[in-house]
Amino acid sequence: MEFGIFTIGDVTSDPTDGTTVTENQRIKNTVEIAKKAEEVGLDVFSTGQHHNPPFVAPANPAVLLSNIAAQTEKLHLTTSTTLITTTDPVRIAEDYSYAQHLSDGRLSLMMGRGNTGPVYPWFGKDIRSGIPLAVENYNLLYRLWREKNLDWEGKFRTPLNGFTVTPWPLDDVPPFVWHGSIRSPEIAEQAAYYGDGFFHNNIFWPTSHTARMVQLYRQRYEYYGHGTASQAIVGLGGHIFMRKNSQDAVREFRPYFDNAPVYGHGPSLEDFSTQTPLTVGSPQQVIERTLSFRDWAGDYQRQLFLIDHAGIPHKTVLEQLDLLGEEVIPVLREEFAKNRPADVPEAPTHESLVLRHREGRDPIPGGGPGSRAFTDREQARAAEKSGADQA
């Protein structure tokens, strides 16, 4: 199981003293946070894609992740949102294929539609087409990474004729893809159809909703013949703030919560902590809350935490990483490993994907022979043929 952090890259004034870091400093701080994550023993660093203030997480995360790759050795690098709706799939394919080579395979992507309405018209798209865009664009990206001299035609971009991505994916194996969604069952279905991972960034939603989304993905993953429901590849988010003493954590974090650009001026800290996975308290409280995720999500593969949001000082973020690395992650690793079924896969790595590819075990989109999806399609075709024959 992988543990890591994700950032949304906001530039927010510190509500306790009014100071605001420059965009340049925020970007440099983000690189330092990623390097610190590797230093304290985390597995993953993740960044989103944004095109609007107050976020300076890059319009092209591949640039940031490649920079971090050059300064780290083991850290797995991933997007927490790649805007599959408003970013040209050809651009995604080439940018991240390049970053995959630079990182020696330490790269994955998380597809998302984005939740900022104005971004769509900025890039010539209609937000009302969000789901169809996500479906068509990802199908094109999937093929771009697997077919050379590709001929393709769709609804939302100009056709391709004899196109080949350069550089071609490392070792003929594309980066692993997660599909991230908070509210859309269509995206859980899409992840299951391709045999990809499903990431629910459950920092805003109650457990009951997240559990239903994960369950839907697991059921459909099995339906499409990629493995049993328990073998589906699941990732979860979380938002934490820690101090040795829980009262100190609550007192220190409250002004940041109350003025956060995303959820500030809404429910109280106490209500939000009850209704969502937000955990503000001691390291032990974070451990206990995170371990409870398995009760409703099952055994899963990736856990990412948000720790640098809402103007929290850089020094404090680094202190959070120390607490994670020293007191939280070692315990979570040990506890999550207990009673984990042997057939539940580990988080995908480039090495494991290369092995799967060479052994001919790549997932077949929509299910292959032997899957329920394949059987249902064959039965439908047989029924059609029978009806035609009788006619």
Side-chain angles (χ1 to χ4, degrees), residues 15 43 69 135 168 188 288 307:
D43 304 303
V135 171
W168 191 246
E288 292 173 1
I307 63 171

Side-chain angles (χ1 to χ4, degrees), residues 16 27 39 124 132 165 174 180 192 204 207 219 239 248 352 378 383:
T16 66
I27 292 168
E39 177 187 318
V165 164
F204 301 122
T207 295
Q219 289 173 344
H239 191 178
D248 291 339
S352 68
E378 291 303 296

Side-chain angles (χ1 to χ4, degrees), residues 302-345:
R302 174 178 283 183
Q303 175 65 56
L304 302 182
F305 296 107
L306 175 63
I307 63 171
D308 69 335
H309 180 45
I312 293 174
H314 184 58
K315 175 177 178 293
T316 303
V317 174
L318 298 181
E319 292 167 352
Q320 296 294 299
L321 281 168
D322 281 328
L323 288 170
L324 268 176
E326 294 169 7
E327 300 192 31
V328 176
I329 301 304
V331 178
L332 290 179
R333 289 193 199 284
E334 182 179 350
E335 292 299 318
F336 272 113
K338 291 179 179 177
N339 302 316
R340 189 178 180 92
D343 64 339
V344 173

Side-chain angles (χ1 to χ4, degrees), residues 143-300:
R143 294 183 62 187
L144 284 165
W145 273 336
R146 292 166 175 84
E147 300 177 37
K148 297 182 178 180
N149 301 312
L150 175 64
D151 294 328
W152 179 92
E153 185 171 351
K155 178 180 179 181
F156 296 107
R157 81 174 311 280
T158 54
L160 296 173
N161 296 296
F163 184 81
T164 298
V165 164
T166 57
W168 191 246
L170 180 65
D171 299 319
D172 293 325
V173 174
F176 186 76
V177 169
W178 303 76
H179 298 259
S181 179
I182 297 176
R183 60 190 179 277
S184 303
E186 296 92 339
I187 302 305
E189 175 78 16
Q190 184 182 42
Y193 177 87
Y194 287 97
D196 294 337
F198 178 65
F199 187 91
H200 197 283
N201 193 8
N202 53 322
I203 63 173
F204 301 122
W205 290 75
T207 295
S208 57
H209 171 80
T210 305
R212 287 194 296 270
M213 290 284 281
V214 171
Q215 182 182 31
L216 170 64
Y217 161 68
R218 288 189 182 279
Q219 289 173 344
R220 301 301 289 174
Y221 184 93
E222 181 172 303
Y223 173 80
Y224 287 118
H226 303 306
T228 65
S230 64
Q231 293 173 323
I233 308 299
V234 174
L236 297 176
H239 191 178
I240 60 174
F241 187 87
M242 297 176 288
R243 287 304 185 198
K244 296 284 187 179
N245 181 288
S246 60
Q247 289 85 355
D248 291 339
V250 171
R251 182 173 57 254
E252 185 176 347
F253 185 69
R254 187 180 300 279
Y256 298 100
F257 175 87
D258 289 344
N259 295 279
V262 176
Y263 48 64
H265 310 288
S268 69
L269 172 58
E270 287 73 18
D271 287 345
F272 203 80
S273 297
T274 299
Q275 296 166 7
T276 77
L278 172 65
T279 307
V280 181
S282 67
Q284 185 58 38
Q285 287 174 302
V286 169
I287 290 169
E288 292 173 1
R289 188 77 179 278
T290 306
L291 288 174
S292 74
F293 294 174
R294 184 164 61 174
D295 296 339
W296 47 264
D299 289 287
Y300 60 110

